[in-house]
Amino acid sequence: MGGDYRKFTVEMQLMNDEYRLWRSGIDGSTCIVESYKDKRSLYFAVSNLLPSASLLSQGNREYRLILMGVNEGEIIHRDFGSFFVDQKGDGSFFKKFTGPALECYTHCLLVSADRADGSIETIMSGEMPFFHKPEEEMSEEPAGSCQFDETWKSIFENVSDKNVVAAFSESMDETGAKWYRVSCGSQIPLPLINCREQVEKYGHYIVGQRESSYYIGIPGRFLQGEQPLRELKCFVLWQPIRGGEKFFKELSELTEKLQEEIFGYWIGGIDTVSGEIIPL
């Protein structure tokens, strides 16, 4: 097979121990990805998790495995479907798949998904070998300085054209902003502290700038369970990722199935005086 064959192991970390079968038990996880030319396969196995039957009966939830990443500036995900865990807390599967090159995927997530509203909780997370955390030092090509909160200022000054993402189709972006991807490994601004779980679930958030206006985008689907700071009504504008608009004309046309399948971002404005998130 020569240079066409690749194989690597993704190190998965437990993010939510509420799903452990025995809190004092031994956690185990294995995630192996192989590829040969345009053919790819993934083997995943875990132990010491709550059985799928318990998850279903207690909260109408199921396990799912998802690969997340970016392809040509667009956020992509690969959902491998329902993942079964037996009464002993063990589960495994082997799946073949095609699609974007492996280098496009940055994170592997084992999640618990609500079968009713599609909301998810990350149980285990692993970084693919192609994921590169942003450099700590200031970029040579800042997006532009902003005259407000020092944390926001630092974030905008440390993104550049290498972080640009075409997150939305131009016809769907109400902000008209230029968007930049920020890894969750970077500093999370104080106004987003209560969104930390949502940001870490997807591994990033985005910031946008148009002239003297600044914006923040939190990844999530058009579901109440994934609307950040819903009680405070800071994020009331939702936009699908580029290409998602092909499946509907108005948000009112989104069926429950589409709400679960189409990813997007919840958008808020950034007050240049206080640094707080404001609704658009």
Side-chain angles (χ1 to χ4, degrees), residues 206-256:
I206 58 176
V207 293
Q209 179 180 359
R210 179 176 57 81
E211 298 177 349
S212 59
S213 298
Y214 300 89
Y215 306 93
I216 174 73
I218 304 296
R221 293 165 294 179
F222 191 61
L223 300 166
Q224 286 190 353
E226 295 201 356
Q227 181 181 7
L229 304 178
R230 183 161 60 92
E231 297 79 6
L232 300 178
K233 298 181 179 180
C234 297
F235 293 89
V236 295
L237 172 63
W238 182 84
Q239 298 182 163
I241 60 174
R242 188 176 182 181
E245 75 282 353
K246 298 176 182 177
F247 299 94
F248 66 96
K249 293 182 180 180
E250 302 289 340
L251 289 178
S252 59
E253 298 178 1
L254 278 175
T255 62
E256 291 185 5

Side-chain angles (χ1 to χ4, degrees), residues 4 16 35 38 73-75 94 117 124 147-148 161 225-226 237 245 252 272:
D4 291 329
N16 190 336
S35 72
D38 61 343
E74 296 184 14
I75 307 300
F94 175 81
D117 62 19
M124 305 187 78
Q147 307 301 317
F148 50 97
D161 286 345
E226 295 201 356
L237 172 63
E245 75 282 353
S252 59
T272 56

Side-chain angles (χ1 to χ4, degrees), residues 5 66 75 112 117 128 140 181 212 233 241 245 271:
Y5 176 76
I66 300 173
I75 307 300
S112 163
D117 62 19
M128 301 284 275
E140 296 179 358
R181 177 187 170 97
S212 59
K233 298 181 179 180
I241 60 174
E245 75 282 353
D271 188 296

Side-chain angles (χ1 to χ4, degrees), residues 108-132:
C108 179
L109 305 175
L110 174 65
V111 305
S112 163
D114 190 301
R115 299 181 68 183
D117 62 19
S119 60
I120 64 175
E121 296 179 0
T122 299
I123 302 171
M124 305 187 78
S125 175
E127 293 178 357
M128 301 284 275
F130 319 110
F131 173 65
H132 300 289

Side-chain angles (χ1 to χ4, degrees), residues 58-280:
Q58 293 176 11
N60 193 32
R61 304 183 74 86
E62 64 182 10
Y63 294 112
R64 303 184 80 87
L65 190 73
I66 300 173
L67 291 182
M68 299 289 297
V70 179
N71 183 29
E72 297 181 351
E74 296 184 14
I75 307 300
I76 58 172
H77 77 286
R78 174 79 189 197
D79 190 336
F80 289 93
S82 181
F83 176 72
F84 182 77
V85 175
D86 64 23
Q87 291 298 318
K88 295 181 180 180
D90 299 326
S92 66
F93 74 73
F94 175 81
K95 293 284 183 73
K96 295 182 179 180
F97 64 103
T98 57
L102 279 181
E103 288 80 2
C104 297
Y105 294 105
T106 60
H107 289 80
C108 179
L109 305 175
L110 174 65
V111 305
S112 163
D114 190 301
R115 299 181 68 183
D117 62 19
S119 60
I120 64 175
E121 296 179 0
T122 299
I123 302 171
M124 305 187 78
S125 175
E127 293 178 357
M128 301 284 275
F130 319 110
F131 173 65
H132 300 289
K133 292 184 178 180
E135 299 177 355
E136 300 255 341
E137 62 271 13
M138 184 178 295
S139 167
E140 296 179 358
E141 300 179 67
S145 60
C146 43
Q147 307 301 317
F148 50 97
D149 178 82
E150 286 300 316
T151 303
W152 284 119
K153 183 176 181 179
S154 174
I155 288 173
F156 276 94
E157 288 183 343
N158 279 278
V159 293
S160 66
D161 286 345
K162 68 179 181 180
N163 308 112
V164 171
V165 290
F168 315 106
S169 296
E170 292 185 8
S171 61
M172 291 295 294
D173 189 359
E174 295 186 19
T175 68
K178 187 175 184 179
W179 292 96
Y180 305 86
R181 177 187 170 97
V182 182
S183 166
C184 68
S186 302
Q187 183 179 12
I188 295 181
L190 184 59
L192 295 186
I193 289 299
N194 291 332
C195 303
R196 177 184 291 274
E197 184 176 342
Q198 182 86 350
V199 171
E200 292 181 342
K201 177 191 300 182
Y202 291 105
H204 75 286
Y205 60 93
I206 58 176
V207 293
Q209 179 180 359
R210 179 176 57 81
E211 298 177 349
S212 59
S213 298
Y214 300 89
Y215 306 93
I216 174 73
I218 304 296
R221 293 165 294 179
F222 191 61
L223 300 166
Q224 286 190 353
E226 295 201 356
Q227 181 181 7
L229 304 178
R230 183 161 60 92
E231 297 79 6
L232 300 178
K233 298 181 179 180
C234 297
F235 293 89
V236 295
L237 172 63
W238 182 84
Q239 298 182 163
I241 60 174
R242 188 176 182 181
E245 75 282 353
K246 298 176 182 177
F247 299 94
F248 66 96
K249 293 182 180 180
E250 302 289 340
L251 289 178
S252 59
E253 298 178 1
L254 278 175
T255 62
E256 291 185 5
K257 186 174 186 298
L258 286 177
Q259 288 179 339
E260 294 179 5
E261 294 181 348
I262 299 178
F263 282 76
Y265 289 88
W266 291 94
I267 311 296
I270 302 175
D271 188 296
T272 56
V273 176
S274 65
E276 296 298 316
I277 309 300
I278 54 176
L280 298 178

